[in-house]
Amino acid sequence: MGTEASQLLLLLTWMSPAFPTGAFAYSHGLEWAIEQRNVTMCAEVRQWVEDLLTRGSGWNDAVLFARCWEDDAAELNELALALATSRERHLETSQIGRAFRIAAGVFAAPALDDEEIAYPVAAGSACAAMGIDRQHALLAWLQGFASTLTSVAVRLVPIGQTAGLEVLRDLAPVIARTAERAASATLDDLGAITLSADIAAMKHETQHSRVFRT
């Protein structure tokens, strides 16, 4: 098996929903937004995820992920953890990051061994260390981000499996454009303005009845 095929298979494994990071247990604050009836239909799910991808935490994570091919992973990790806008966002990125690092260790030694590691830095540094193409990795990373949040809406709104696939179909061009932007971005391009999503993540901390950890 050639190097390119091996790298692609490794990327597909790492970004698969079946990879044991526990990402399915986190809603990124979307559970609270659904509970408050702020997100109740497919169009609202698509817009919520699109905003995160283009101008929110998804965008910041994509930039941090992409910089792992060039910048120091320890410095990126410190910045990634500092950018978490709430206690639950910090919990989410650090817990999934830790789980990814442990599981990825089956395939390769971790590029960063900090006790706390943000998910985009854990995944990005691992992909970079294994020589995986950055553009391919970004597409897979962003697709995974969108799929995880769409899955939350499928279960909680609920919008149903077919509608969830339609959301992902409509987000495909957004994911492609975001990956292209992030590939050439620098740390100066970091920044988010999705205040509703940030507030939702904060409000979720005290939500009385909840399914997800964040």
Side-chain angles (χ1 to χ4, degrees), residues 29-117:
L30 183 54
E31 182 175 18
W32 186 86
I34 293 171
E35 172 73 18
Q36 296 300 307
R37 310 299 293 169
N38 294 330
V39 177
T40 62
M41 59 185 71
C42 286
E44 292 168 342
V45 173
R46 184 199 59 75
Q47 191 62 60
W48 185 276
V49 179
E50 179 176 346
D51 286 345
L52 287 174
L53 287 169
T54 58
R55 65 195 71 184
S57 56
W59 165 250
N60 280 343
D61 281 358
V63 173
L64 292 163
F65 181 93
R67 295 311 305 171
C68 289
W69 273 256
E70 298 180 33
D71 294 351
D72 179 72
E75 293 182 2
L76 288 173
N77 186 50
E78 184 177 350
L79 178 57
L81 293 171
L83 284 172
T85 53
S86 67
R87 183 184 65 83
E88 286 202 349
R89 286 276 176 86
H90 185 279
L91 170 71
E92 180 175 337
T93 195
S94 60
Q95 290 295 311
I96 299 177
R98 179 177 181 273
F100 179 91
R101 180 179 59 193
I102 292 171
V106 172
F107 302 88
L112 187 64
D113 199 30
D114 287 24
E115 183 175 341
E116 264 194 333
I117 183 165

Side-chain angles (χ1 to χ4, degrees), residues 154-165:
V154 166
R155 287 177 277 174
L156 286 188
V157 172
I159 59 174
Q161 295 287 348
T162 299
L165 290 173

Side-chain angles (χ1 to χ4, degrees), residues 132-208:
I132 295 172
D133 178 80
R134 174 162 56 182
Q135 193 68 27
H136 292 167
L138 270 167
L139 285 169
W141 166 263
L142 289 167
Q143 174 71 10
F145 180 87
S147 296
T148 298
L149 291 183
T150 302
S151 176
V152 173
V154 166
R155 287 177 277 174
L156 286 188
V157 172
I159 59 174
Q161 295 287 348
T162 299
L165 290 173
E166 291 172 350
V167 169
L168 290 175
R169 176 201 63 197
D170 294 343
L171 285 171
V174 178
I175 290 170
R177 289 194 300 269
T178 303
E180 186 175 353
R181 286 175 57 213
S184 59
T186 69
L187 296 181
D188 289 337
D189 296 307
L190 288 168
I193 194 169
T194 48
L195 300 181
S196 293
D198 291 338
I199 291 171
M202 296 174 191
K203 291 288 189 179
H204 188 267
E205 295 180 12
T206 56
Q207 187 170 329
H208 177 66

